[in-house]
Amino acid sequence: MRTFKKTFILSIVLISNSFHVVFAVPTDNPFRTKYTFNAPTWTDSLNWSNVITINDFKQAAENECDSALQRAFRNLGSLGGTIYFPGGTYTFNADIVLPTNIILRGETPTQTDARLSDFAPPTRLIFPKYVPTFLGNGTPNNSAFKVIRNDGDIQNCGLIYLDINRGRISLGGSASQRILVFGVRQNNIAQPDAGVPDMTYMNGWERFSYRHTRNISVNAKRAAAVVCSRINDLQNNTINPINDDSYDQPGYILKGTFLPKKGADVSTAEDSPGGVSSSGFTPMKYGDRIKFNYLDHYGIGISGTKMNPTINPVPINQQILLLDNWILTTMRVSYFIEGIGAIARGNVKRDLQGKMAWIHPAGKALNTNNSATFENRGLNFAGENLIIEDNDLEVFRHNFYSGYASVDGEGILIQWQD
Protein backbone atom coordinates (compact mmCIF):
# COMPACT_ATOMS: atom_id res chain seq x y z
CA MET A 1 0.00 0.00 0.00
CA ARG A 2 1.33 3.40 -0.94
CA THR A 3 1.48 5.92 1.90
CA PHE A 4 1.44 9.68 1.61
CA LYS A 5 3.24 12.27 3.66
CA LYS A 6 2.34 15.70 4.97
CA THR A 7 4.63 18.69 4.49
CA PHE A 8 5.46 20.59 7.68
CA ILE A 9 8.82 22.32 7.57
CA LEU A 10 10.90 24.89 5.79
CA SER A 11 13.41 23.27 3.49
CA ILE A 12 16.17 24.56 1.20
CA VAL A 13 16.96 22.64 -1.97
CA LEU A 14 20.05 23.23 -4.11
CA ILE A 15 19.07 23.21 -7.79
CA SER A 16 21.42 24.25 -10.61
CA ASN A 17 23.74 26.05 -8.23
CA SER A 18 20.92 28.18 -6.81
CA PHE A 19 18.85 27.90 -3.68
CA HIS A 20 15.14 27.13 -3.96
CA VAL A 21 13.20 27.86 -0.80
CA VAL A 22 10.12 25.78 -0.05
CA PHE A 23 8.11 27.34 2.74
CA ALA A 24 6.02 25.52 5.28
CA VAL A 25 2.40 25.14 4.37
CA PRO A 26 0.12 27.79 5.93
CA THR A 27 -2.14 26.72 8.79
CA ASP A 28 -3.67 30.09 9.69
CA ASN A 29 -7.24 31.23 9.12
CA PRO A 30 -6.66 33.69 6.23
CA PHE A 31 -9.82 35.64 7.10
CA ARG A 32 -8.54 36.12 10.65
CA THR A 33 -5.05 36.98 9.39
CA LYS A 34 -6.34 39.74 7.12
CA TYR A 35 -9.25 41.10 9.17
CA THR A 36 -8.18 40.20 12.75
CA PHE A 37 -11.10 40.80 15.12
CA ASN A 38 -13.52 41.52 12.24
CA ALA A 39 -13.41 37.92 10.98
CA PRO A 40 -16.55 35.85 11.71
CA THR A 41 -15.91 33.33 14.47
CA TRP A 42 -17.31 30.48 12.36
CA THR A 43 -14.29 30.75 10.04
CA ASP A 44 -12.04 29.70 12.94
CA SER A 45 -13.82 26.34 13.10
CA LEU A 46 -12.72 25.30 9.60
CA ASN A 47 -9.96 22.70 9.56
CA TRP A 48 -6.94 24.89 8.79
CA SER A 49 -4.40 22.88 10.76
CA ASN A 50 -4.66 19.43 9.16
CA VAL A 51 -2.80 20.15 5.91
CA ILE A 52 -1.58 17.92 3.09
CA THR A 53 0.17 19.06 -0.08
CA ILE A 54 -1.20 18.18 -3.52
CA ASN A 55 2.27 17.48 -4.94
CA ASP A 56 2.66 14.54 -2.55
CA PHE A 57 -0.22 12.81 -4.34
CA LYS A 58 0.74 13.43 -7.94
CA GLN A 59 2.45 10.59 -9.80
CA ALA A 60 5.37 11.25 -12.11
CA ALA A 61 3.57 10.37 -15.37
CA GLU A 62 0.52 12.54 -14.67
CA ASN A 63 0.13 15.87 -16.44
CA GLU A 64 -3.26 16.68 -14.92
CA CYS A 65 -4.20 16.87 -11.25
CA ASP A 66 -7.62 15.19 -11.32
CA SER A 67 -6.37 11.84 -9.99
CA ALA A 68 -4.00 13.43 -7.49
CA LEU A 69 -6.84 15.43 -6.01
CA GLN A 70 -8.98 12.31 -5.62
CA ARG A 71 -6.14 10.59 -3.77
CA ALA A 72 -5.83 13.62 -1.50
CA PHE A 73 -9.57 13.54 -0.78
CA ARG A 74 -9.35 9.87 0.19
CA ASN A 75 -6.33 10.54 2.40
CA LEU A 76 -8.18 13.20 4.41
CA GLY A 77 -11.31 11.06 4.70
CA SER A 78 -14.47 12.21 6.40
CA LEU A 79 -12.64 14.28 9.02
CA GLY A 80 -11.30 16.49 6.23
CA GLY A 81 -8.68 19.18 6.25
CA THR A 82 -6.83 21.48 3.87
CA ILE A 83 -5.22 20.51 0.57
CA TYR A 84 -2.43 22.96 -0.15
CA PHE A 85 -1.38 23.89 -3.70
CA PRO A 86 2.04 25.59 -3.69
CA GLY A 87 2.53 28.36 -6.23
CA GLY A 88 2.42 26.96 -9.77
CA THR A 89 0.00 25.83 -12.48
CA TYR A 90 -2.33 22.85 -12.00
CA THR A 91 -4.50 21.59 -14.86
CA PHE A 92 -7.79 19.74 -14.55
CA ASN A 93 -9.88 17.97 -17.19
CA ALA A 94 -13.09 17.45 -15.21
CA ASP A 95 -15.25 19.12 -12.59
CA ILE A 96 -13.90 19.30 -9.07
CA VAL A 97 -16.53 17.85 -6.73
CA LEU A 98 -15.66 19.23 -3.31
CA PRO A 99 -16.47 16.93 -0.37
CA THR A 100 -17.66 18.26 2.96
CA ASN A 101 -14.95 19.39 5.44
CA ILE A 102 -12.41 20.10 2.65
CA ILE A 103 -10.51 23.32 1.88
CA LEU A 104 -8.51 23.88 -1.30
CA ARG A 105 -5.83 26.46 -0.56
CA GLY A 106 -3.21 28.16 -2.71
CA GLU A 107 -0.11 30.12 -1.86
CA THR A 108 -0.77 33.51 -0.27
CA PRO A 109 -0.15 36.30 -2.81
CA THR A 110 1.99 39.33 -2.07
CA GLN A 111 -1.04 41.56 -2.68
CA THR A 112 -4.11 40.40 -0.76
CA ASP A 113 -6.46 43.27 -1.71
CA ALA A 114 -8.47 41.91 -4.65
CA ARG A 115 -9.62 45.40 -5.62
CA LEU A 116 -6.13 46.26 -6.86
CA SER A 117 -4.76 45.30 -10.28
CA ASP A 118 -1.67 43.54 -8.89
CA PHE A 119 -3.79 40.95 -7.09
CA ALA A 120 -2.88 37.58 -8.65
CA PRO A 121 -2.58 34.44 -6.53
CA PRO A 122 0.51 32.45 -7.62
CA THR A 123 -1.47 29.17 -7.46
CA ARG A 124 -3.31 28.72 -10.78
CA LEU A 125 -5.98 26.13 -11.56
CA ILE A 126 -6.60 25.75 -15.31
CA PHE A 127 -9.63 23.99 -16.79
CA PRO A 128 -10.19 23.07 -20.46
CA LYS A 129 -10.78 25.81 -23.01
CA TYR A 130 -13.78 25.58 -25.30
CA VAL A 131 -12.41 25.52 -28.85
CA PRO A 132 -15.29 26.16 -31.27
CA THR A 133 -15.78 24.55 -34.66
CA PHE A 134 -18.21 26.02 -37.17
CA LEU A 135 -19.29 22.82 -38.88
CA GLY A 136 -22.02 20.31 -38.10
CA ASN A 137 -23.03 20.30 -34.45
CA GLY A 138 -19.82 22.00 -33.38
CA THR A 139 -17.54 21.18 -30.48
CA PRO A 140 -19.37 19.27 -27.70
CA ASN A 141 -20.19 21.40 -24.68
CA ASN A 142 -18.84 18.76 -22.32
CA SER A 143 -15.33 19.36 -23.64
CA ALA A 144 -15.19 22.48 -21.44
CA PHE A 145 -17.32 24.61 -19.07
CA LYS A 146 -16.19 22.81 -15.91
CA VAL A 147 -17.37 23.56 -12.39
CA ILE A 148 -16.02 23.45 -8.83
CA ARG A 149 -19.13 22.12 -7.13
CA ASN A 150 -20.51 19.75 -4.50
CA ASP A 151 -22.91 16.81 -4.45
CA GLY A 152 -25.51 17.25 -1.74
CA ASP A 153 -25.12 19.65 1.16
CA ILE A 154 -21.67 20.49 2.51
CA GLN A 155 -20.15 22.20 5.49
CA ASN A 156 -16.74 23.53 6.56
CA CYS A 157 -15.48 24.04 2.99
CA GLY A 158 -13.31 26.67 1.40
CA LEU A 159 -11.54 27.88 -1.73
CA ILE A 160 -8.62 30.07 -0.70
CA TYR A 161 -6.12 32.11 -2.77
CA LEU A 162 -6.62 30.39 -6.11
CA ASP A 163 -6.30 31.93 -9.59
CA ILE A 164 -8.90 29.97 -11.56
CA ASN A 165 -9.25 30.05 -15.34
CA ARG A 166 -12.36 28.46 -16.91
CA GLY A 167 -13.70 26.93 -13.70
CA ARG A 168 -17.10 28.13 -12.50
CA ILE A 169 -17.81 27.92 -8.75
CA SER A 170 -21.15 26.61 -7.50
CA LEU A 171 -21.18 25.54 -3.85
CA GLY A 172 -23.68 24.86 -1.11
CA GLY A 173 -27.34 24.01 -0.68
CA SER A 174 -30.33 24.73 1.51
CA ALA A 175 -28.82 22.89 4.51
CA SER A 176 -25.17 23.79 3.91
CA GLN A 177 -23.16 25.94 6.30
CA ARG A 178 -19.70 27.42 6.81
CA ILE A 179 -18.62 27.93 3.20
CA LEU A 180 -15.81 30.39 2.48
CA VAL A 181 -14.56 31.65 -0.89
CA PHE A 182 -11.61 33.90 -0.07
CA GLY A 183 -8.97 35.50 -2.29
CA VAL A 184 -10.06 33.84 -5.54
CA ARG A 185 -9.29 35.31 -8.95
CA GLN A 186 -11.43 33.93 -11.77
CA ASN A 187 -11.75 34.43 -15.54
CA ASN A 188 -13.41 32.96 -18.65
CA ILE A 189 -16.54 31.65 -16.98
CA ALA A 190 -19.58 30.74 -19.09
CA GLN A 191 -22.26 28.12 -19.55
CA PRO A 192 -23.92 27.42 -22.91
CA ASP A 193 -27.59 28.35 -23.07
CA ALA A 194 -29.65 25.16 -23.29
CA GLY A 195 -32.00 26.83 -25.79
CA VAL A 196 -29.29 27.36 -28.39
CA PRO A 197 -29.16 26.08 -31.04
CA ASP A 198 -32.82 25.90 -31.96
CA MET A 199 -32.50 23.30 -34.68
CA THR A 200 -35.68 24.45 -36.42
CA TYR A 201 -33.69 27.26 -38.00
CA MET A 202 -30.19 27.53 -36.44
CA ASN A 203 -26.88 25.92 -37.31
CA GLY A 204 -25.93 23.03 -35.03
CA TRP A 205 -22.64 24.67 -34.09
CA GLU A 206 -24.20 27.87 -32.72
CA ARG A 207 -23.64 28.57 -29.03
CA PHE A 208 -24.77 31.38 -26.73
CA SER A 209 -23.63 32.24 -23.21
CA TYR A 210 -26.43 31.61 -20.71
CA ARG A 211 -27.25 34.95 -19.13
CA HIS A 212 -28.19 33.52 -15.71
CA THR A 213 -24.85 31.79 -15.16
CA ARG A 214 -22.84 33.05 -12.18
CA ASN A 215 -19.09 33.17 -11.85
CA ILE A 216 -19.44 32.30 -8.18
CA SER A 217 -22.62 30.96 -6.60
CA VAL A 218 -22.78 30.11 -2.88
CA ASN A 219 -25.91 28.99 -1.05
CA ALA A 220 -26.16 28.09 2.63
CA LYS A 221 -28.56 27.81 5.51
CA ARG A 222 -26.14 30.05 7.40
CA ALA A 223 -22.48 31.10 7.60
CA ALA A 224 -21.23 31.77 4.08
CA ALA A 225 -18.88 34.39 2.69
CA VAL A 226 -17.30 35.51 -0.57
CA VAL A 227 -14.42 37.80 0.31
CA CYS A 228 -11.48 39.51 -1.41
CA SER A 229 -12.10 37.91 -4.81
CA ARG A 230 -11.46 39.40 -8.23
CA ILE A 231 -13.67 38.37 -11.14
CA ASN A 232 -13.18 38.90 -14.89
CA ASP A 233 -10.10 41.11 -14.77
CA LEU A 234 -8.53 39.50 -17.89
CA GLN A 235 -6.10 42.13 -19.18
CA ASN A 236 -6.78 44.41 -16.23
CA ASN A 237 -4.10 42.73 -14.18
CA THR A 238 -0.49 43.76 -13.94
CA ILE A 239 0.81 40.39 -12.71
CA ASN A 240 -0.96 37.71 -14.77
CA PRO A 241 -2.95 39.00 -17.78
CA ILE A 242 -5.29 36.35 -19.19
CA ASN A 243 -6.66 36.11 -22.72
CA ASP A 244 -10.41 36.48 -23.21
CA ASP A 245 -11.87 33.21 -24.54
CA SER A 246 -14.86 35.03 -26.10
CA TYR A 247 -15.12 34.32 -29.81
CA ASP A 248 -16.93 35.62 -32.91
CA GLN A 249 -19.60 33.57 -34.70
CA PRO A 250 -20.00 34.67 -38.34
CA GLY A 251 -22.97 33.03 -40.02
CA TYR A 252 -25.02 32.71 -36.81
CA ILE A 253 -28.71 32.72 -37.77
CA LEU A 254 -31.14 34.84 -35.75
CA LYS A 255 -34.91 35.09 -35.83
CA GLY A 256 -36.09 38.42 -37.20
CA THR A 257 -35.42 40.60 -40.21
CA PHE A 258 -33.02 43.49 -39.84
CA LEU A 259 -34.76 46.87 -39.83
CA PRO A 260 -32.23 49.67 -40.38
CA LYS A 261 -32.47 53.05 -38.77
CA LYS A 262 -34.24 55.64 -40.87
CA GLY A 263 -31.83 57.02 -43.45
CA ALA A 264 -29.10 54.48 -42.65
CA ASP A 265 -26.92 52.97 -45.36
CA VAL A 266 -27.54 49.23 -44.97
CA SER A 267 -24.59 48.41 -47.22
CA THR A 268 -22.10 49.52 -44.57
CA ALA A 269 -20.82 47.43 -41.70
CA GLU A 270 -21.71 50.22 -39.29
CA ASP A 271 -25.40 50.14 -40.10
CA SER A 272 -26.09 46.49 -40.88
CA PRO A 273 -25.72 43.38 -38.72
CA GLY A 274 -24.84 41.37 -41.78
CA GLY A 275 -27.03 39.54 -44.24
CA VAL A 276 -30.52 41.01 -44.67
CA SER A 277 -33.26 38.43 -45.14
CA SER A 278 -36.87 38.62 -46.22
CA SER A 279 -37.59 35.14 -44.86
CA GLY A 280 -37.90 36.17 -41.22
CA PHE A 281 -34.31 35.19 -40.32
CA THR A 282 -31.02 37.11 -40.45
CA PRO A 283 -27.62 35.42 -40.88
CA MET A 284 -24.98 37.48 -39.07
CA LYS A 285 -22.20 38.22 -41.50
CA TYR A 286 -20.14 40.06 -38.91
CA GLY A 287 -19.31 37.54 -36.22
CA ASP A 288 -18.15 40.12 -33.68
CA ARG A 289 -21.81 41.10 -33.30
CA ILE A 290 -22.79 37.67 -32.11
CA LYS A 291 -19.98 36.70 -29.78
CA PHE A 292 -19.98 33.82 -27.41
CA ASN A 293 -19.27 36.18 -24.53
CA TYR A 294 -17.67 35.30 -21.19
CA LEU A 295 -18.79 38.55 -19.55
CA ASP A 296 -22.52 38.67 -20.30
CA HIS A 297 -23.97 37.07 -17.16
CA TYR A 298 -24.20 37.35 -13.38
CA GLY A 299 -21.06 37.81 -11.30
CA ILE A 300 -21.25 36.70 -7.64
CA GLY A 301 -24.40 35.42 -5.98
CA ILE A 302 -24.55 34.46 -2.31
CA SER A 303 -27.76 33.47 -0.56
CA GLY A 304 -28.99 32.30 2.78
CA THR A 305 -31.86 29.82 2.82
CA LYS A 306 -35.17 31.67 2.90
CA MET A 307 -36.77 31.70 6.36
CA ASN A 308 -39.36 33.82 8.09
CA PRO A 309 -37.81 35.68 11.05
CA THR A 310 -41.23 36.44 12.57
CA ILE A 311 -42.02 32.80 13.37
CA ASN A 312 -38.67 31.79 14.86
CA PRO A 313 -38.27 31.82 18.67
CA VAL A 314 -34.87 33.57 18.61
CA PRO A 315 -33.40 36.34 16.48
CA ILE A 316 -31.72 35.07 13.32
CA ASN A 317 -28.46 36.15 11.80
CA GLN A 318 -27.54 33.91 8.88
CA GLN A 319 -24.09 35.54 8.64
CA ILE A 320 -24.07 35.94 4.86
CA LEU A 321 -21.14 38.15 3.85
CA LEU A 322 -19.99 39.77 0.61
CA LEU A 323 -16.85 41.77 1.31
CA ASP A 324 -14.14 43.65 -0.65
CA ASN A 325 -14.60 41.94 -4.03
CA TRP A 326 -13.92 43.36 -7.52
CA ILE A 327 -15.97 42.47 -10.62
CA LEU A 328 -16.15 43.41 -14.29
CA THR A 329 -19.45 42.38 -15.87
CA THR A 330 -21.30 43.71 -18.92
CA MET A 331 -24.82 42.33 -18.42
CA ARG A 332 -27.24 41.08 -15.74
CA VAL A 333 -26.33 41.52 -12.02
CA SER A 334 -22.78 41.82 -10.72
CA TYR A 335 -23.55 41.13 -7.05
CA PHE A 336 -26.57 39.34 -5.62
CA ILE A 337 -26.92 38.86 -1.86
CA GLU A 338 -29.86 37.73 0.23
CA GLY A 339 -30.33 36.64 3.81
CA ILE A 340 -31.17 37.71 7.32
CA GLY A 341 -28.34 39.83 8.68
CA ALA A 342 -26.53 39.80 5.32
CA ILE A 343 -23.73 42.33 4.74
CA ALA A 344 -22.40 43.67 1.42
CA ARG A 345 -19.50 46.01 2.04
CA GLY A 346 -16.55 47.40 0.12
CA ASN A 347 -17.32 45.72 -3.20
CA VAL A 348 -16.33 47.23 -6.57
CA LYS A 349 -18.16 46.76 -9.88
CA ARG A 350 -16.78 47.92 -13.22
CA ASP A 351 -18.50 48.00 -16.61
CA LEU A 352 -17.72 48.79 -20.25
CA GLN A 353 -18.96 52.05 -21.67
CA GLY A 354 -20.52 52.20 -25.15
CA LYS A 355 -21.79 48.61 -25.11
CA MET A 356 -23.67 47.64 -28.29
CA ALA A 357 -26.27 44.88 -28.19
CA TRP A 358 -27.31 43.50 -31.56
CA ILE A 359 -29.27 40.54 -30.26
CA HIS A 360 -31.81 39.59 -27.63
CA PRO A 361 -30.10 38.32 -24.43
CA ALA A 362 -31.53 34.83 -25.02
CA GLY A 363 -29.41 34.57 -28.18
CA LYS A 364 -32.17 33.55 -30.60
CA ALA A 365 -33.41 36.81 -32.15
CA LEU A 366 -32.33 40.24 -33.26
CA ASN A 367 -32.96 42.97 -30.72
CA THR A 368 -34.58 45.98 -32.40
CA ASN A 369 -36.00 47.91 -29.44
CA ASN A 370 -35.68 48.40 -25.69
CA SER A 371 -38.15 45.69 -24.68
CA ALA A 372 -35.45 43.13 -23.83
CA THR A 373 -34.13 42.93 -20.26
CA PHE A 374 -30.35 43.22 -20.02
CA GLU A 375 -30.55 44.33 -16.35
CA ASN A 376 -27.08 45.97 -16.14
CA ARG A 377 -27.27 46.10 -12.36
CA GLY A 378 -24.56 46.61 -9.80
CA LEU A 379 -26.15 45.02 -6.73
CA ASN A 380 -29.40 43.19 -6.00
CA PHE A 381 -30.21 42.46 -2.37
CA ALA A 382 -33.02 41.01 -0.31
CA GLY A 383 -33.69 39.86 3.23
CA GLU A 384 -33.96 41.28 6.73
CA ASN A 385 -31.60 43.47 8.78
CA LEU A 386 -29.15 43.97 5.93
CA ILE A 387 -26.14 46.25 5.77
CA ILE A 388 -25.24 47.62 2.33
CA GLU A 389 -22.40 50.11 2.56
CA ASP A 390 -19.25 51.48 0.91
CA ASN A 391 -19.80 49.71 -2.43
CA ASP A 392 -18.41 51.32 -5.61
CA LEU A 393 -20.74 50.39 -8.48
CA GLU A 394 -20.26 51.46 -12.10
CA VAL A 395 -23.16 50.65 -14.45
CA PHE A 396 -23.75 51.50 -18.12
CA ARG A 397 -26.73 50.78 -20.33
CA HIS A 398 -26.58 48.94 -23.66
CA ASN A 399 -27.02 50.73 -26.97
CA PHE A 400 -28.98 49.04 -29.76
CA TYR A 401 -28.29 49.28 -33.49
CA SER A 402 -31.82 50.57 -34.01
CA GLY A 403 -31.03 53.76 -32.09
CA TYR A 404 -32.65 52.77 -28.77
CA ALA A 405 -30.79 52.51 -25.49
CA SER A 406 -31.73 49.87 -22.95
CA VAL A 407 -34.05 50.85 -20.12
CA ASP A 408 -31.94 48.87 -17.63
CA GLY A 409 -29.05 50.20 -15.60
CA GLU A 410 -29.83 50.27 -11.87
CA GLY A 411 -26.93 50.66 -9.50
CA ILE A 412 -28.75 49.06 -6.57
CA LEU A 413 -32.05 47.20 -6.57
CA ILE A 414 -34.05 45.65 -3.72
CA GLN A 415 -35.47 42.49 -5.21
CA TRP A 416 -36.09 39.01 -3.86
CA GLN A 417 -34.45 36.13 -5.74
CA ASP A 418 -34.95 36.80 -9.44
Side-chain angles (χ1 to χ4, degrees):
M1 176 181 294
R2 183 178 178 187
T3 59
F4 299 103
K5 61 182 180 180
K6 298 178 182 178
T7 304
F8 295 100
I9 59 173
L10 173 71
S11 62
I12 301 177
V13 182
L14 182 64
I15 302 175
S16 301
N17 298 320
S18 63
F19 287 101
H20 177 66
V21 179
V22 181
F23 289 95
V25 296
T27 57
D28 64 308
N29 172 0
F31 206 142
R32 181 71 58 197
T33 298
K34 184 170 177 63
Y35 290 94
T36 59
F37 59 88
N38 289 320
T41 55
W42 64 263
T43 62
D44 296 319
S45 66
L46 273 62
N47 196 339
W48 304 109
S49 60
N50 183 33
V51 185
I52 59 177
T53 301
I54 189 66
N55 292 336
D56 292 334
F57 296 85
K58 191 171 181 182
Q59 297 178 356
E62 293 177 337
N63 294 319
E64 288 78 30
C65 287
D66 301 81
S67 296
L69 186 58
Q70 294 304 313
R71 296 183 196 109
F73 288 158
R74 290 194 294 270
N75 179 268
L76 288 175
S78 61
L79 294 178
T82 297
I83 302 172
Y84 179 61
F85 291 73
T89 299
Y90 304 84
T91 60
F92 291 86
N93 278 327
D95 290 355
I96 292 177
V97 182
L98 195 66
T100 198
N101 298 324
I102 295 291
I103 300 165
L104 305 184
R105 181 169 189 168
E107 184 177 317
T108 303
T110 302
Q111 174 60 262
T112 59
D113 188 341
R115 297 168 297 184
L116 301 179
S117 61
D118 58 347
F119 173 80
T123 299
R124 295 166 184 165
L125 308 187
I126 310 297
F127 292 84
K129 178 181 179 179
Y130 185 76
V131 181
T133 53
F134 303 102
L135 296 171
N137 289 327
T139 305
N141 291 339
N142 62 10
S143 67
F145 308 115
K146 304 305 179 182
V147 189
I148 301 175
R149 58 180 176 84
N150 56 279
D151 285 337
D153 282 292
I154 55 172
Q155 61 181 3
N156 304 320
C157 290
L159 301 174
I160 313 296
Y161 288 136
L162 301 170
D163 191 332
I164 301 170
N165 195 14
R166 308 186 189 106
R168 184 162 54 92
I169 296 171
S170 182
L171 294 175
S174 60
S176 296
Q177 56 185 337
R178 296 185 296 277
I179 301 174
L180 176 62
V181 177
F182 189 98
V184 167
R185 180 181 177 226
Q186 188 195 49
N187 283 284
N188 287 316
I189 301 307
Q191 178 183 357
D193 193 307
V196 176
D198 182 333
M199 294 303 291
T200 63
Y201 67 95
M202 291 176 139
N203 300 298
W205 52 260
E206 294 181 23
R207 301 289 186 271
F208 197 73
S209 181
Y210 182 50
R211 62 198 182 282
H212 294 296
T213 295
R214 300 179 180 189
N215 286 69
I216 298 175
S217 179
V218 176
N219 296 279
K221 182 177 181 180
R222 61 174 300 277
V226 181
V227 182
C228 292
S229 292
R230 187 175 178 89
I231 309 302
N232 301 331
D233 67 350
L234 294 166
Q235 298 299 314
N236 182 251
N237 192 286
T238 59
I239 303 299
N240 182 31
I242 292 176
N243 291 328
D244 183 1
D245 285 351
S246 302
Y247 63 90
D248 299 351
Q249 299 188 88
Y252 190 110
I253 298 174
L254 290 167
K255 188 179 294 184
T257 299
F258 172 65
L259 300 174
K261 289 181 288 186
K262 185 176 180 179
D265 180 359
V266 298
S267 66
T268 67
E270 290 75 23
D271 293 319
S272 169
V276 179
S277 171
S278 61
S279 64
F281 303 99
T282 298
M284 300 293 283
K285 178 179 179 181
Y286 303 104
D288 61 333
R289 294 172 183 185
I290 178 63
K291 282 181 177 291
F292 187 93
N293 197 316
Y294 285 79
L295 294 174
D296 279 352
H297 51 74
Y298 284 60
I300 297 174
I302 183 167
S303 300
T305 302
K306 291 182 176 65
M307 44 178 82
N308 186 346
T310 64
I311 63 175
N312 285 274
V314 295
I316 299 170
N317 183 351
Q318 291 179 294
Q319 299 186 68
I320 307 299
L321 183 61
L322 190 63
L323 176 66
D324 293 343
N325 301 286
W326 186 100
I327 288 182
L328 167 65
T329 55
T330 54
M331 195 170 76
R332 315 315 291 186
V333 177
S334 289
Y335 297 102
F336 185 92
I337 184 170
E338 63 179 345
I340 302 171
I343 299 173
R345 178 187 293 127
N347 301 289
V348 177
K349 182 261 194 293
R350 291 293 175 257
D351 201 351
L352 298 180
Q353 203 165 3
K355 299 179 294 187
M356 177 68 76
W358 293 84
I359 57 174
H360 188 278
K364 300 175 72 171
L366 282 166
N367 195 80
T368 57
N369 57 46
N370 62 355
S371 63
T373 300
F374 289 79
E375 291 189 324
N376 294 320
R377 294 175 191 157
L379 173 67
N380 273 24
F381 65 92
E384 300 272 347
N385 301 324
L386 300 103
I387 297 176
I388 310 293
E389 64 182 6
D390 296 331
N391 298 288
D392 178 1
L393 308 173
E394 176 184 77
V395 178
F396 296 111
R397 299 191 299 168
H398 282 82
N399 298 306
F400 301 146
Y401 68 85
S402 58
Y404 287 100
S406 70
V407 295
D408 312 295
E410 303 93 348
I412 298 177
L413 181 70
I414 303 173
Q415 183 181 34
W416 200 262
Q417 177 73 29
D418 55 352

